[in-house]
Amino acid sequence: MNELKHLGKGTRAVHAGVEPDPSTGAIMTPIFQTSTYVQEAVGVHKGWEYSRSHNPTRAALESAFAELENGKYGLAFASGLAAIDAVLKTLKPGDEVIAGQDLYGGTARLFRTNHAPMGIVFHFVDTQKPELVESAITDKTKLVWLESPTNPLMQITDIAAVAKITKPRGIWLAVDNTFASPMLQRPLEHGADIVMHSVTKYLGGHSDVVMGALITEDEQIDAQLRTIQNNCGAIAQPFDSFLVLRGLKTLHLRIERHCQNGRKIAHWLQSHPKIGKVYWPGFETHPGHEVAKKQMDDFGGMIAFEIHGNNLEQAKKLVASTQLFALAESLGGVESLIEHPAAMTHASVPAEIRAQLGISDGFIRISVGVEDADDLIADLEQAISIAVQ
Ligand code: P1T
């Protein structure tokens, strides 16, 4: 199946990247669990030489990523952070990066503790205000890195407005699209140069794989990233690639249900007397709502909220008291998860920065799964009543 662009998102999710296996007709891409490929003579081979460079199962997945993000080239990495690391490795000492102020804690830690000491200069700015991106640009700026929606504050950045600033200056715009997934948002369509995913989350969808992805439509960018992937070796493995190919086939169905459940639970939380602020871009009162409506197809299943009084002990008790929502890091799987960012996913963000951003002690993040919404609401209700008297 070569040309899927005219088809619907669901059809593309089912068919992206896969062709019947030419040797057997197998409808599912086989797991090519091989490190190398036999050559007939030196340099005479079938296009496959060594599995760090290419593997047919990974290649099928990489073309599925490109298809779903409306790009031309996809790359699958050993983790989301390995994918981010590969983008940063295109830079040289002295180059500058403008990064969003609210990022997954591990991304900010990678920038601060690994890339900054190598001479890359980071400016963390509030990308919700594109004019702040513009004013942080110098003649050394090479990359803008942002998430939308952000992890965990659910902030929204107008991707097209930032691209308008970066494109004419030749600065790359990379968007971490993990929270939205390509079913809800395709940043390349809004002018981004690189899309990144923690595939571990919605794309895999079943909490059984750690993987990352980069997608671009620019041949030169792809060539640089591909060389780094091959030189540094943080590749996705064949069995994991197979699992994600399988997961992608239901991405549209899962996301539809995540969105339905997310909408119901966000509204329920907002009307709960023991719950304070609820962070979800589907609310008309969310500061990024209009932009989200413009660049996203729906608002997703990630929600954050504060309990009244922002009490640490109550928040810890709440996240430990749910029965369906599992207390765990990660997100985007079929099962619902709950966590406490200040103590878990964003513990590596310095406390003063967390405080500035508003990741308070009573701040809780949930990844709403695809279970029945009423069961999830009943679970949250009993946990809230145990934790907040
Ligand atoms: O965990 P890994 O596959 O390496 O992906 C890192 C990553 C990158 N970007 C975003 C937006 C992410 O959410 C993550 C991983 N996040 C979690 C593990 C979490 O619980 O937030």
Side-chain angles (χ1 to χ4, degrees):
M1 192 132 350
N2 294 320
E3 193 45 72
L4 300 180
K5 294 237 179 309
H6 61 293
L7 300 170
K9 288 190 295 183
T11 310
R12 290 167 71 174
V14 173
H15 292 284
V18 293
E19 300 277 357
D21 173 49
S23 63
T24 61
I27 192 162
M28 294 306 301
T29 308
I31 305 167
F32 285 91
Q33 195 68 45
T34 188
S35 59
T36 194
Y37 308 84
V38 178
Q39 307 194 6
E40 286 167 40
V42 177
V44 182
H45 52 72
K46 298 178 167 63
W48 311 96
E49 292 164 277
Y50 185 62
S51 275
R52 172 163 33 73
S53 315
H54 314 99
N55 175 279
T57 318
R58 191 174 93 227
L61 179 62
E62 291 177 332
S63 64
F65 289 155
E67 180 67 48
L68 294 178
E69 282 290 358
N70 252 340
K72 280 200 188 135
Y73 309 97
L75 288 169
F77 287 84
S79 69
L81 285 179
I84 299 171
D85 185 49
V87 177
L88 272 290
K89 280 180 172 148
T90 62
L91 305 180
K92 295 186 299 299
D95 286 348
E96 297 188 10
V97 177
I98 298 170
Q101 61 174 3
D102 185 38
L103 296 172
Y104 166 57
T107 304
R109 180 180 56 200
L110 175 68
F111 291 172
R112 288 196 169 97
T113 63
N114 295 94
H115 294 295
M118 300 298 282
I120 310 297
V121 178
F122 291 89
H123 303 280
F124 291 90
V125 309
D126 180 357
T127 59
Q128 293 172 106
K129 301 187 181 116
E131 64 275 17
L132 297 182
V133 174
E134 186 155 26
S135 55
I137 288 175
T138 73
D139 56 0
K140 296 192 173 123
T141 308
K142 294 289 182 328
L143 175 69
V144 173
W145 186 277
L146 60 89
E147 298 174 5
S148 186
T150 61
N151 181 359
L153 285 161
M154 306 301 298
Q155 295 174 348
I156 302 291
T157 290
D158 186 334
I159 297 168
V162 176
K164 238 186 199 159
I165 296 166
T166 52
K167 265 256 147 64
R169 295 172 166 92
I171 297 166
W172 290 359
L173 170 59
V175 176
D176 181 336
N177 200 29
T178 298
F179 267 35
S181 95
M183 289 298 121
L184 300 184
Q185 176 174 276
R186 291 157 301 282
L188 298 178
E189 293 174 359
H190 304 289
D193 301 288
I194 299 171
V195 176
M196 177 266 156
H197 280 278
S198 171
V199 176
T200 316
K201 311 300 177 340
Y202 288 106
L203 297 185
H206 296 76
S207 308
D208 49 11
V209 172
V210 172
M211 191 188 288
L214 296 175
I215 300 107
T216 181
E217 48 191 356
D218 183 313
E219 193 179 350
Q220 310 281 332
I221 295 177
D222 175 66
Q224 287 191 50
L225 297 172
R226 206 164 280 274
T227 299
I228 290 166
Q229 188 195 44
N230 187 44
N231 289 0
C232 301
I235 49 163
Q237 294 299 324
F239 182 65
D240 291 353
S241 299
F242 170 82
L243 287 175
V244 176
L245 276 168
R246 179 184 234 251
L248 287 182
K249 290 180 186 299
T250 55
L251 181 62
H252 55 306
L253 301 172
R254 290 186 281 109
I255 292 288
E256 227 174 87
R257 183 63 170 255
H258 286 296
C259 290
Q260 265 173 30
N261 284 356
R263 175 172 279 106
K264 210 163 173 181
I265 290 173
H267 283 99
W268 177 80
L269 282 167
Q270 202 185 32
S271 66
H272 198 291
K274 292 180 179 172
I275 298 300
K277 188 166 175 190
V278 181
Y279 299 73
W280 180 67
F283 292 135
E284 281 177 20
T285 50
H286 186 288
H289 180 70
E290 287 307 316
V291 175
K293 243 171 50 183
K294 184 182 75 164
Q295 69 190 16
M296 298 177 74
D297 299 342
D298 205 338
F299 305 108
M302 292 302 298
I303 303 169
F305 60 93
E306 284 159 0
I307 46 179
H308 264 320
N310 263 326
N311 179 298
L312 176 64
E313 289 317 309
Q314 288 180 335
K316 283 189 172 166
K317 195 155 189 188
L318 197 162
V319 298
S321 300
T322 51
Q323 287 168 1
L324 288 172
F325 279 86
L327 173 56
E329 301 199 2
S330 203
L331 58 109
V334 288
E335 60 290 290
S336 294
L337 301 181
I338 190 163
E339 66 117 8
H340 188 264
M344 295 169 71
T345 50
H346 293 70
S348 63
V349 177
E352 67 277 11
I353 296 180
R354 280 203 311 267
Q356 261 170 35
L357 290 174
I359 305 172
S360 60
D361 284 348
F363 183 89
I364 290 168
R365 188 189 78 183
I366 56 176
S367 169
V368 176
V370 301
E371 302 95 330
D372 290 302
D374 290 343
D375 294 332
L376 297 176
I377 286 173
D379 188 33
L380 288 172
E381 177 60 59
Q382 64 80 29
I384 293 168
S385 69
I386 291 172
V388 191
Q389 302 298 329

XYZ file of all heavy atoms in Angstrom, residues 257-272 275 278-280 283 300-305 324-325 336-338 366-381 384:
395
model
N -11.448 6.660 22.616
C -11.949 6.332 23.957
C -11.219 7.131 25.050
O -11.834 7.575 26.022
C -11.803 4.824 24.184
C -12.347 4.322 25.490
C -13.870 4.553 25.586
N -14.369 3.830 26.747
C -15.059 2.697 26.687
N -15.405 2.177 25.535
N -15.443 2.090 27.790
N -9.877 7.316 24.864
C -9.142 8.154 25.828
C -9.785 9.547 25.881
O -9.935 10.134 26.955
C -7.675 8.313 25.408
C -6.803 7.100 25.616
N -6.530 6.582 26.865
C -6.113 6.325 24.749
C -5.713 5.528 26.739
N -5.461 5.345 25.470
N -10.130 10.071 24.707
C -10.703 11.424 24.640
C -12.083 11.474 25.303
O -12.380 12.398 26.073
C -10.811 11.904 23.197
S -9.230 12.261 22.436
N -12.910 10.478 24.991
C -14.266 10.422 25.595
C -14.175 10.361 27.113
O -14.836 11.105 27.835
C -14.955 9.123 25.180
C -15.842 9.189 23.987
C -16.299 7.757 23.627
O -16.432 6.877 24.487
N -16.512 7.543 22.356
N -13.341 9.426 27.603
C -13.193 9.265 29.057
C -12.567 10.507 29.671
O -12.959 10.946 30.761
C -12.319 8.045 29.364
C -13.059 6.732 29.170
O -14.254 6.731 28.871
N -12.359 5.621 29.323
N -11.579 11.062 28.965
C -10.884 12.248 29.477
C -11.857 13.405 29.664
O -11.863 14.086 30.697
N -12.719 13.596 28.677
C -13.699 14.699 28.721
C -14.624 14.533 29.938
O -14.854 15.462 30.701
C -14.501 14.701 27.418
C -15.633 15.694 27.365
C -16.260 15.766 25.974
N -15.482 16.605 25.093
C -14.699 16.179 24.116
N -14.586 14.893 23.858
N -14.021 17.027 23.368
N -15.104 13.304 30.115
C -16.056 13.040 31.195
C -15.392 13.242 32.566
O -15.954 13.882 33.462
C -16.537 11.579 31.057
C -17.916 11.340 31.557
C -18.475 10.027 31.032
C -19.801 9.746 31.700
N -20.405 8.507 31.284
N -14.189 12.736 32.699
C -13.504 12.802 33.999
C -13.029 14.224 34.300
O -13.114 14.685 35.437
C -12.352 11.767 34.034
C -12.984 10.357 34.075
C -11.419 11.986 35.224
C -12.018 9.212 33.948
N -12.576 14.947 33.279
C -12.140 16.334 33.501
C -13.311 17.164 34.037
O -13.162 17.917 35.010
C -11.611 16.940 32.203
N -14.473 17.016 33.429
C -15.638 17.791 33.890
C -16.057 17.359 35.286
O -16.428 18.188 36.119
C -16.798 17.668 32.886
C -16.592 18.538 31.673
N -16.102 18.047 30.478
C -16.765 19.860 31.486
C -16.005 19.050 29.601
N -16.402 20.155 30.190
N -15.998 16.049 35.546
C -16.380 15.559 36.874
C -15.435 16.125 37.942
O -15.875 16.602 38.988
C -16.348 14.012 36.876
C -16.648 13.444 38.211
C -17.875 13.282 38.775
C -15.698 12.985 39.185
N -17.748 12.755 40.037
C -16.427 12.552 40.304
C -14.305 12.899 39.203
C -15.806 12.042 41.448
C -13.681 12.394 40.328
C -14.430 11.967 41.434
N -14.131 16.092 37.643
C -13.160 16.625 38.607
C -13.412 18.112 38.852
O -13.334 18.593 39.986
C -11.727 16.449 38.070
C -11.111 15.050 38.190
C -9.840 14.960 37.335
C -10.797 14.704 39.653
N -13.717 18.827 37.754
C -13.885 20.274 37.876
C -15.057 20.640 38.792
O -15.038 21.680 39.452
C -14.086 20.893 36.500
C -13.730 22.363 36.487
C -14.044 23.012 35.167
O -14.995 22.637 34.474
N -13.261 23.994 34.797
N -16.049 19.763 38.851
C -17.217 20.090 39.678
C -17.095 19.469 41.077
O -18.036 19.554 41.880
C -18.486 19.592 38.986
O -18.446 18.179 38.943
N -15.959 18.837 41.393
C -15.821 18.163 42.685
C -15.429 19.166 43.774
O -14.457 19.904 43.622
C -14.756 17.061 42.580
C -14.853 16.063 43.682
N -14.542 16.382 44.988
C -15.249 14.775 43.703
C -14.738 15.324 45.749
N -15.172 14.327 44.986
N -11.732 19.232 44.988
C -10.680 19.387 43.967
C -10.588 20.854 43.566
O -11.603 21.525 43.371
C -11.009 18.500 42.729
C -11.045 17.015 43.127
C -10.019 18.735 41.587
C -9.759 16.462 43.708
N -8.244 22.250 37.722
C -8.105 21.081 36.846
C -7.476 21.553 35.535
O -7.908 22.555 34.965
C -9.473 20.405 36.580
C -9.305 19.171 35.693
C -10.148 20.018 37.892
N -6.427 20.844 35.097
C -5.671 21.239 33.902
C -6.042 20.295 32.759
O -5.643 19.139 32.731
C -4.160 21.126 34.168
C -3.641 22.002 35.286
C -3.901 21.702 36.628
C -2.855 23.117 35.016
C -3.420 22.499 37.660
C -2.352 23.922 36.035
C -2.642 23.602 37.354
O -2.149 24.382 38.371
N -6.804 20.803 31.811
C -7.216 20.005 30.638
C -7.580 20.994 29.530
O -8.417 21.887 29.748
C -8.422 19.121 31.021
C -8.939 18.264 29.914
C -8.300 17.203 29.322
C -10.203 18.380 29.249
N -9.082 16.655 28.342
C -10.269 17.357 28.273
C -11.296 19.245 29.382
C -11.364 17.180 27.439
C -12.393 19.076 28.554
C -12.420 18.046 27.604
N -11.242 22.531 28.351
C -12.072 23.551 29.021
C -11.957 24.875 28.284
O -10.840 25.305 27.956
C -11.596 23.780 30.466
C -11.828 22.618 31.383
C -10.823 22.204 32.253
C -13.037 21.947 31.417
C -11.029 21.137 33.108
C -13.254 20.885 32.270
C -12.243 20.478 33.121
N -7.702 14.756 24.266
C -6.889 13.701 24.845
C -7.314 13.267 26.232
O -8.294 13.759 26.799
N -6.533 12.342 26.757
C -6.873 11.713 28.034
C -5.897 12.032 29.157
O -5.901 11.349 30.181
N -5.056 13.047 28.959
C -4.152 13.448 30.043
C -4.788 14.616 30.801
O -5.200 15.609 30.186
C -2.791 13.875 29.479
C -2.004 12.741 28.869
S -1.685 11.380 30.019
C -0.705 12.182 31.294
N -4.832 14.486 32.119
C -5.448 15.513 32.970
C -4.565 15.683 34.206
O -4.013 14.698 34.719
C -6.862 15.071 33.430
C -7.759 14.767 32.220
C -7.510 16.128 34.325
C -9.077 14.083 32.598
N -4.438 16.907 34.669
C -3.778 17.133 35.963
C -4.754 17.920 36.829
O -5.629 18.621 36.319
C -2.472 17.884 35.767
N -4.600 17.775 38.139
C -5.482 18.535 39.050
C -4.802 18.733 40.393
O -3.832 18.052 40.731
C -6.837 17.835 39.227
C -6.762 16.435 39.811
C -6.878 16.227 41.186
C -6.602 15.333 38.990
C -6.828 14.948 41.725
C -6.545 14.041 39.518
C -6.654 13.851 40.879
N -8.353 1.104 40.544
C -8.227 0.889 39.095
C -7.062 1.698 38.531
O -6.275 1.194 37.735
C -9.526 1.288 38.390
C -10.707 0.349 38.592
C -11.972 0.969 37.997
C -10.441 -1.013 37.965
N -6.973 2.951 38.916
C -5.831 3.782 38.506
C -4.598 3.230 39.213
O -4.535 3.227 40.442
C -6.023 5.230 38.956
C -6.915 6.049 38.060
C -8.295 6.026 38.241
C -6.386 6.851 37.055
C -9.125 6.794 37.432
C -7.211 7.614 36.245
C -8.582 7.589 36.427
N -5.573 2.908 33.162
C -5.428 4.234 33.749
C -4.295 4.248 34.773
O -4.119 3.289 35.523
C -6.732 4.637 34.431
O -7.743 4.779 33.460
N -3.534 5.356 34.770
C -2.428 5.523 35.722
C -2.602 6.843 36.461
O -3.190 7.794 35.937
C -1.081 5.533 34.998
C -0.698 4.299 34.165
C 0.686 4.496 33.550
C -0.729 3.022 35.002
N -2.059 6.878 37.673
C -2.071 8.103 38.481
C -0.684 8.289 39.060
O 0.004 7.304 39.353
C -3.158 8.011 39.596
C -3.371 9.361 40.292
C -2.843 6.908 40.615
C -4.681 9.439 41.096
N -3.125 12.377 35.976
C -3.708 11.081 35.616
C -3.636 10.873 34.096
O -3.747 11.812 33.312
C -5.178 10.904 36.103
C -6.085 12.011 35.590
C -5.230 10.804 37.616
C -7.562 11.819 35.976
N -3.408 9.623 33.739
C -3.511 9.190 32.346
C -4.766 8.337 32.292
O -4.800 7.231 32.843
C -2.269 8.379 31.961
O -2.470 7.749 30.709
N -5.799 8.889 31.679
C -7.084 8.186 31.657
C -7.035 7.097 30.589
O -6.735 7.372 29.426
C -8.227 9.185 31.359
C -9.548 8.449 31.243
C -8.283 10.260 32.432
N -7.307 5.869 30.998
C -7.231 4.726 30.091
C -8.519 4.531 29.310
O -9.327 5.461 29.157
N -8.720 3.313 28.830
C -9.879 3.041 27.969
C -10.931 2.187 28.684
O -11.792 1.575 28.047
C -9.463 2.381 26.633
C -8.492 3.270 25.872
C -8.827 0.997 26.859
N -10.851 2.137 30.021
C -11.862 1.402 30.784
C -13.197 2.161 30.705
O -13.313 3.160 29.989
C -11.429 1.295 32.266
C -10.075 0.618 32.509
C -8.910 1.595 32.622
O -8.943 2.675 31.993
O -7.946 1.275 33.350
N -14.201 1.724 31.470
C -15.480 2.436 31.511
C -15.348 3.673 32.406
O -14.911 3.567 33.562
C -16.575 1.510 32.047
C -16.890 0.415 31.036
O -17.260 0.759 29.894
O -16.727 -0.774 31.369
N -15.736 4.818 31.867
C -15.534 6.080 32.579
C -16.191 6.070 33.961
O -15.628 6.582 34.929
C -16.065 7.243 31.744
N -17.372 5.462 34.071
C -18.075 5.496 35.356
C -17.294 4.731 36.428
O -17.290 5.125 37.598
C -19.486 4.918 35.209
C -20.372 5.854 34.380
O -19.984 7.044 34.222
O -21.413 5.405 33.882
N -16.647 3.645 36.030
C -15.817 2.904 36.994
C -14.617 3.742 37.433
O -14.221 3.721 38.607
C -15.328 1.587 36.382
C -16.470 0.611 36.115
O -17.487 0.686 36.833
O -16.346 -0.207 35.188
N -14.036 4.472 36.479
C -12.876 5.302 36.809
C -13.284 6.436 37.753
O -12.570 6.764 38.699
C -12.251 5.866 35.531
C -11.683 4.810 34.570
C -11.171 5.458 33.284
C -10.566 3.999 35.238
N -14.457 7.007 37.501
C -14.946 8.096 38.361
C -15.221 7.565 39.770
O -14.836 8.192 40.771
C -16.208 8.745 37.728
C -15.774 9.598 36.525
C -16.988 9.565 38.741
C -16.911 10.158 35.694
N -15.827 6.389 39.851
C -16.101 5.807 41.184
C -14.793 5.543 41.924
O -14.688 5.761 43.138
C -16.909 4.510 41.026
N -13.784 5.115 41.192
C -12.477 4.850 41.818
C -11.864 6.139 42.355
O -11.363 6.192 43.487
C -11.555 4.194 40.784
C -10.250 3.708 41.405
O -10.267 3.289 42.591
O -9.202 3.739 40.722
N -11.903 7.205 41.538
C -11.349 8.485 41.999
C -12.141 9.004 43.195
O -11.576 9.517 44.167
C -11.373 9.513 40.857
C -10.360 9.279 39.730
C -10.619 10.239 38.564
C -8.917 9.446 40.223
N -13.458 8.853 43.149
C -14.313 9.349 44.243
C -13.941 8.676 45.565
O -13.760 9.349 46.590
C -15.787 9.098 43.915
C -16.767 9.493 45.005
C -16.689 10.987 45.354
O -16.911 11.808 44.452
O -16.412 11.321 46.530
N -10.524 9.981 46.724
C -10.600 11.360 47.229
C -11.223 11.351 48.627
O -10.759 12.038 49.542
C -11.407 12.266 46.253
C -10.651 12.435 44.928
C -11.694 13.631 46.877
C -11.459 13.067 43.786
